């Protein structure tokens, strides 16, 4: 479309992400996608829909391949922190003593798990209460149950990040990682994002 130039930065970022995962990328410039348009590309395993935020959500049940957003692509193709594996974050066990509403189980560790790398006992407790799993006593559920894992990521996003999206990329990173990454807390992570 005429506005494709506005999305070139995101298209380049997606192509680099796909290439980094060892996959081939094609760029298709079309109006709003529909099954009839995309059926002509059976070699594509997935379509990444780069568009303005108002038209980004698309129900892809009728498509032969999934149609996902760039955010979902970043989760899926992130080779540094794959969502299905457990990684340890900067602090030991991520237990915050000031959040007594969500008391820690001494036998559990609350480090980064799931698509948005949920950390801290208070996030596991609140997320578990909202989604319907015992986050404090079974935090590993985020690595063993894909549905709960993504529900928890969406819960965290909608409760902590969604309201700051209009403030820019830096505000979303602050909402997700706070002092761990912002204000010089982890310059390596910052450089990786640039």
């Amino acid at each position: 479309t005429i506005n494709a130039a506005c999305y070139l930065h995101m298209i380049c970022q997606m192509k680099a992400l796909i290439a980094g995962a060892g996959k081939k990328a094609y760029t298709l410039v079309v109006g709003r996608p529909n099954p009839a348009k995309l059926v002509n590309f059976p070699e594509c395993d997935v379509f990444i829909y780069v568009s303005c935020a108002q038209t980004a959500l698309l129900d892809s049940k009728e498509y032969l391949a999934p149609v996902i957003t760039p955010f979902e692509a970043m989760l899926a193709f992130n080779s540094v922190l794959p969502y299905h594996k457990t990684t340890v974050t900067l602090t030991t066990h991520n237990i915050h003593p000031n959040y007594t509403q969500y008391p820690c189980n001494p036998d559990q560790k609350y480090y980064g798990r799931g698509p948005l790398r949920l950390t801290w006992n208070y996030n596991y407790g609140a997320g578990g209460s909202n989604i319907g799993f015992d986050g404090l006593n079974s935090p590993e559920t985020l690595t063993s149950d894909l549905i709960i894992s993504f529900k928890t990521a969406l819960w965290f996003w909608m409760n902590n990040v969604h309201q700051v999206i209009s403030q820019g990329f830096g505000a979303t990173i602050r909402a997700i990682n706070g002092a761990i990454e912002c204000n010089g807390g982890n310059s390596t992570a910052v450089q990786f994002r640039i």
Side-chain angles (χ1 to χ4, degrees):
T1 64
I2 295 173
N3 290 327
C6 300
Y7 305 112
L8 285 179
H9 175 73
M10 181 57 67
I11 291 169
C12 291
Q13 192 175 2
M14 291 295 101
K15 288 172 106 174
L17 189 68
I18 293 165
K23 303 287 182 181
K24 187 170 182 176
Y26 301 94
T27 303
L28 309 172
V29 181
V30 297
R32 185 160 177 85
N34 61 48
K37 289 178 184 176
L38 300 185
V39 75
N40 296 311
F41 304 96
E43 66 277 5
C44 296
D45 296 323
V46 65
F47 294 97
I48 303 170
Y49 187 28
V50 178
S51 71
C52 73
Q54 293 174 336
T55 61
L57 296 178
L58 187 67
D59 185 5
S60 64
K61 284 185 251 175
E62 297 178 16
Y63 294 81
L64 295 178
V67 180
I68 63 174
T69 64
F71 172 74
E72 293 166 315
M74 285 183 210
L75 294 176
F77 289 107
N78 189 342
S79 63
V80 176
L81 296 172
Y83 74 84
H84 63 281
K85 293 185 180 175
T86 303
T87 59
V88 178
T89 55
L90 300 175
T91 56
T92 306
H93 309 314
N94 286 331
I95 297 171
H96 200 295
N98 295 340
Y99 288 88
T100 56
Q101 180 182 1
Y102 301 107
C104 301
N105 179 330
D107 297 326
Q108 299 299 329
K109 297 178 175 93
Y110 305 102
Y111 47 77
R113 295 181 180 96
L116 283 180
R117 320 305 301 157
L118 194 70
T119 55
W120 300 103
N121 56 306
Y122 55 87
N123 284 324
Y124 276 92
S129 295
N130 281 277
I131 302 304
F133 76 100
D134 189 353
L136 291 173
N137 293 310
S138 299
E140 70 282 353
T141 303
L142 293 185
T143 59
S144 63
D145 189 317
L146 190 62
I147 300 297
I148 288 178
S149 182
F150 272 92
K151 281 184 177 181
T152 306
L154 288 171
W155 163 82
F156 184 87
W157 184 269
M158 294 308 292
N159 286 281
N160 297 285
V161 185
H162 181 72
Q163 63 269 23
V164 300
I165 287 177
S166 63
Q167 297 171 27
F169 183 69
T172 62
I173 295 302
R174 180 177 298 281
I176 294 169
N177 291 336
I180 291 173
E181 187 169 331
C182 298
N183 301 328
N186 185 355
S187 59
T188 303
V190 173
Q191 288 303 312
F192 175 75
R193 294 187 196 285
I194 295 176

